[in-house]
Amino acid sequence: MASPSTTPAAPTAATGLLSPSLDGLGATFHDGGGTLRVWSAHATSMELVLFDADDLDWATETFALDRAEGDVWQVTTRALRPGVHYAVRADGPSGHGDMFNAESLLLDPYARGLVSGGVTDWRGVAVDGAFEWGGVAKPGIPMARTVLYEAHVKGVSKRHPDVPPALHGTYAGLAHPAMIGHFQRLGVTSIELLPIHAFASEPRLLHLGLSNYWGYNSVGFFAPHTPYATEAARHAGPAAVLAEFKGMVKGLHEAGLEVILDVVYNHTAEGEIGDPRTSLRGLDNRAYYRQRDDGSYVDVTGCGNAVDTSTDAAARLVLDSLRYWANDVQVDGFRFDLAVTLGRDRAHGFTPDHPLLRAIAEDPALAGVKKIAEPWDIAGWELGRFGDGWHEWNDRYRDRVRNFWLSDIDYARRAETAPVGVGGFATRLAGSSNTFSRERGPLAGINFVTAHDGFTLRDLVSYDVKHNLGNGEHGRDGADTNRSFNHGAEGATDDPGILATRRKAMRNLLGTLLLSAGVPMLTAGDEFARSQRGNNNAYCHDSPLTWLEWEHEPWQHDQFAHVQRLIALRQQNPALRPTRFAHEDEPVPGASHMDWYDEHGHTMSAERWGDPAHRTLQYVAASIPEAGPPNRVLLIVHGTERDIDVVLPAIDGVTRYVSLWSSADERPTADAPQFAPGATVPVIGASMRLFRAE
């Protein structure tokens, strides 16, 4: 590690972020008390301060830390034991990017528990984390069978009538049998939770009477967010909060469900220069945050600061946090917010071979853990560039699918023809081979149509523009381009024709999502068509606007039944979930061989792929099994609003097509009519039909 007068060197796998000198950071316990180890390259002195358990302002003892190998400061004392409240003071130079203040009380970045006396007044709490797992193991669901369900810990159970009120909106509530039953009936496999690391609301929001609901504003990377725990656990303290979180993980695992954490390592709640120092800024601002030569921040996150993972200690902090949650807390995977920031080098440029990105993918301590990148930040978009071991949110998929079913049809109503043909849509349906390499295959992509950020599915088909006045920014926040379509009325309407068309549009979007190659992600509440009244950036609303409603109308139960059927069909038909891309010249085990036909049952011609007047496609996928019997399905996609007759293709070895699902049905039918090759099948405007080819 560099001396205090120079900038720390970029990490290397052998001597950088994996250096043994960085082992054992944070508080550890032993028979003689505890040891605290804190990294700082530029500090000149450091103190451990212990506090009274009931009065966070009453410092009871102070201990000096000694500088050890690798710029790690440490102290061992009998006074440091589980349950103790503590903070750190660090002194050092000021100017040229340093921001030391010997009076600032700072959080240990590795603190397992946190308590707060105010927005910027935090103390760490020493927690040993003992927990009885009872032999419950991780479900270990393969990516090919994974169906992600993106949910907010509080919002998903806050209003559930079968969850006891004391558990509403809590970790324990998420694992209540009523919630587990819902997840299991739906068929999802992996619950992806919006941030649960301890976080704070930005002062700007608090002044507006709002709060940070989503949680993308981390205070610490090792402690669970206390307000999501039950009142009893909060009263008992951070050890009980952690135990409740682990109990949630255990309960979901017992039900066969995975837990994926949305993690925010790209920036912290310390905000811009001038905002209060609570941890990293006061410990070593120059090493932990990206900045220019004059000390101003390089903000590639849009949140005031960006964690500088080109320094060894910052990268190791991220890696150690992941190891902790994956092993001590037993979570199954991570979705990395603004992951491009984590892969930026010393010059702030992105590189897929960044030591931290490779360490995350290759660390034996993270083997079998799902790693999902949001492949952009505000300074760069890097979809498809993350390497082996990574999966990526596929926003190109989102945009193309929305265009095909919504904005293209809106355009066609006004221009009598759609702007584009079916070719780009087909590429996304088949796994986005133009985005992900042959080596990584279709499972590299996380397909989604909606997410926490943006319109809900219902709002996507009900609003042409965002309605964000309640966010306090005069409607300036949130995306302006949504590729949405209100189908003839903005927002709420009682027009039965518009409502029926909206319902079908949602079924088309859901059908595409759950029948595409790749890994699907469903947003919580879309299975029941929840609305946020046109707000496409509801991050600051902790209210019924964002909490899931569990009292539903009959048509919403019909939509749930469609999602349930589609997930089941995906699991039953391996041809819909290939693990590899097919080769034209040789069979590839794990791939699905794909053939494409037009509405006449003829092989698609080159000119029809891009012809906006011909947006009807028959997609035949035949699995090339690594194990088990072969499987073949036929999907009809009809992307114009006029009804049409489709001739089913004659294919060698296929004697009949069994109907499995249609987006034209208001509710999935139990009937499974059969059709011979060459038969004519009616398809209503803008709809889909799925068959099994036997």
Side-chain angles (χ1 to χ4, degrees):
M1 182 61 63
S3 68
S5 61
T6 62
T7 300
T12 64
T15 60
L17 69 94
L18 299 181
S19 170
S21 67
L22 294 175
D23 291 346
L25 292 173
T28 56
F29 307 107
H30 42 78
D31 290 342
T35 297
L36 178 69
R37 286 167 53 84
V38 180
W39 182 90
S40 177
H42 301 103
T44 56
S45 66
M46 196 173 295
E47 292 179 328
L48 166 65
V49 185
L50 304 186
F51 292 86
D52 180 79
D54 298 318
D55 186 347
L56 298 185
D57 294 324
W58 182 9
T60 58
E61 294 182 87
T62 302
F63 303 88
L65 277 70
D66 297 319
R67 192 170 199 144
E69 180 184 358
D71 295 319
V72 173
W73 299 75
Q74 67 180 42
V75 63
T76 297
T77 171
R78 290 184 178 276
L80 183 62
R81 57 190 183 276
V84 166
H85 294 55
Y86 70 103
V88 176
R89 290 194 185 109
D91 199 3
S94 60
H96 301 291
D98 290 315
M99 292 188 180
F100 290 97
N101 184 325
E103 300 303 315
S104 294
L105 293 168
L106 306 171
L107 283 172
D108 163 21
Y110 283 73
R112 266 49 167 183
L114 301 181
V115 292
S116 175
V119 177
T120 60
D121 186 23
W122 296 88
R123 304 288 182 270
V125 179
V127 175
D128 67 6
F131 185 79
E132 178 53 61
W133 290 98
V136 176
K138 296 183 180 183
I141 297 166
M143 285 303 292
R145 286 192 170 273
T146 297
V147 178
L148 297 164
Y149 184 85
E150 190 195 41
H152 189 284
V153 168
K154 182 175 184 178
V156 74
S157 71
K158 176 64 176 174
R159 306 173 75 185
H160 200 298
D162 296 327
V163 173
L167 305 186
H168 278 167
T170 68
Y171 300 124
L174 184 71
H176 185 271
M179 292 306 312
I180 288 176
H182 174 73
F183 302 144
Q184 292 177 326
R185 286 190 299 275
L186 189 58
V188 296
T189 66
S190 309
I191 313 304
E192 181 178 309
L193 298 176
L194 268 65
I196 58 81
H197 287 171
F199 65 87
S201 292
E202 297 85 341
R204 177 186 62 82
L205 290 178
L206 296 175
H207 290 321
L208 292 172
L210 301 170
S211 64
N212 188 319
Y213 174 66
W214 287 350
Y216 293 90
N217 202 40
S218 302
V219 172
F221 297 150
F222 287 80
H225 192 56
T226 297
Y228 292 162
T230 58
E231 183 179 359
R234 296 196 306 269
H235 181 75
V241 172
L242 177 60
E244 183 177 313
F245 187 93
K246 290 182 176 181
M248 176 197 74
V249 174
K250 179 180 178 181
L252 291 170
H253 282 178
E254 286 177 319
L257 296 162
E258 292 184 320
V259 179
I260 313 292
L261 301 185
D262 193 335
V263 286
V264 189
Y265 297 118
N266 58 80
H267 75 283
T268 76
E270 287 187 300
E272 301 174 339
I273 293 174
D275 287 342
R277 49 175 81 75
T278 57
S279 184
L280 303 182
R281 179 175 290 146
L283 291 171
D284 200 327
N285 181 67
R286 181 142 56 103
Y288 276 116
Y289 291 120
R290 294 189 177 276
Q291 52 194 272
R292 301 174 184 86
D293 292 341
D294 64 0
S296 62
Y297 279 171
V298 177
D299 179 10
V300 294
T301 68
C303 300
N305 63 62
V307 174
D308 187 358
T309 53
S310 72
T311 62
D312 300 342
R316 181 61 177 268
L317 174 64
V318 173
L319 188 65
D320 284 347
S321 173
L322 296 170
R323 289 168 166 177
Y324 170 71
W325 291 99
N327 295 292
D328 291 59
V329 191
Q330 288 287 291
V331 303
D332 304 275
F334 305 94
R335 180 266 188 188
F336 294 80
D337 181 63
L338 301 184
V340 168
T341 299
L342 304 184
R344 293 190 178 276
D345 59 19
R346 181 76 175 80
H348 315 303
F350 174 77
T351 170
D353 295 324
H354 190 287
L356 176 58
L357 297 186
R358 295 320 312 153
I360 291 171
E362 299 167 5
D363 189 346
L366 300 177
V369 173
K370 294 177 168 68
K371 299 113 180 172
I372 301 169
E374 182 180 42
W376 55 80
D377 59 17
I378 68 167
W381 181 81
E382 305 291 348
L383 177 63
R385 294 195 63 201
F386 284 73
D388 291 342
W390 284 91
H391 310 271
E392 304 175 45
W393 268 30
N394 190 350
D395 62 324
R396 281 185 170 176
Y397 176 95
R398 174 201 64 198
D399 293 348
R400 177 61 69 178
V401 171
R402 288 185 179 190
N403 280 348
F404 187 82
W405 290 118
L406 300 176
S407 55
D408 286 0
I409 289 178
D410 178 23
Y411 184 97
R413 284 191 181 185
R414 291 178 281 109
E416 297 185 357
T417 184
V420 297
V422 74
F425 176 87
T427 299
R428 299 301 164 193
L429 185 69
S432 298
S433 61
N434 62 343
T435 300
F436 302 110
S437 68
R438 177 177 293 181
E439 292 74 23
R440 296 179 68 196
L443 298 182
I446 305 298
N447 296 331
F448 64 105
V449 175
T450 65
H452 66 276
D453 189 1
F455 280 144
T456 67
L457 185 67
R458 183 173 176 180
D459 289 353
L460 194 64
V461 303
S462 304
Y463 293 89
D464 280 351
V465 296
K466 65 187 181 183
H467 296 263
N468 293 1
L469 288 178
N471 295 1
E473 298 185 42
H474 306 287
R476 293 188 298 263
D477 66 303
D480 292 317
T481 302
N482 296 284
R483 296 174 169 83
S484 59
F485 179 30
N486 68 21
H487 293 87
E490 186 71 357
T493 180
D494 56 5
D495 185 304
I498 292 175
L499 293 174
T501 305
R502 287 177 178 177
R503 292 194 296 270
K504 179 161 61 69
M506 287 190 283
R507 296 193 292 268
N508 286 331
L509 293 164
L510 290 165
T512 303
L513 174 67
L514 293 167
L515 301 179
S516 292
V519 181
M521 185 187 79
L522 181 71
T523 304
D526 281 352
E527 70 271 31
F528 287 126
R530 79 179 183 97
S531 174
Q532 290 177 170
R533 300 198 296 274
N535 192 318
N536 76 346
N537 190 34
Y539 76 102
C540 55
H541 294 280
D542 185 357
S543 71
L545 180 72
T546 51
W547 305 336
L548 267 61
E549 172 60 67
W550 291 96
E551 300 295 333
H552 303 119
E553 298 178 19
W555 71 267
Q556 293 176 295
H557 291 289
D558 293 342
Q559 178 148 313
F560 177 88
H562 274 283
V563 179
Q564 188 179 44
R565 171 72 64 85
L566 287 163
I567 293 175
L569 289 171
R570 179 180 185 85
Q571 301 292 23
Q572 294 162 10
N573 292 277
L576 294 170
R577 41 183 176 82
T579 59
R580 297 181 176 90
F581 290 126
H583 295 191
E584 290 187 4
D585 53 349
E586 61 178 321
V588 178
S592 288
H593 178 79
M594 299 167 189
D595 292 306
W596 309 89
Y597 301 90
D598 62 20
E599 66 268 32
H600 305 299
H602 301 151
T603 299
M604 284 284 287
S605 61
E607 59 271 14
R608 289 181 69 100
W609 282 112
D611 186 348
H614 295 280
R615 286 164 52 91
T616 304
L617 177 71
Q618 298 192 75
Y619 164 49
V620 176
S623 69
I624 305 173
E626 295 179 281
N631 169 245
R632 183 155 41 184
V633 296
L634 165 67
L635 179 65
I636 298 175
V637 175
H638 179 45
T640 67
E641 291 196 289
R642 73 180 192 281
D643 297 348
I644 192 173
D645 289 332
V646 172
V647 178
L648 301 180
I651 302 174
D652 289 344
V654 175
T655 59
R656 62 179 179 177
Y657 294 100
V658 180
S659 181
L660 301 177
W661 176 80
S662 171
S663 68
D665 296 332
E666 285 287 348
R667 185 174 181 87
T669 176
D671 297 336
Q674 301 177 13
F675 301 87
T680 298
V681 175
V683 178
I684 72 166
S687 70
M688 307 172 71
R689 291 194 67 167
L690 178 70
F691 302 83
R692 184 174 60 249
E694 297 180 347

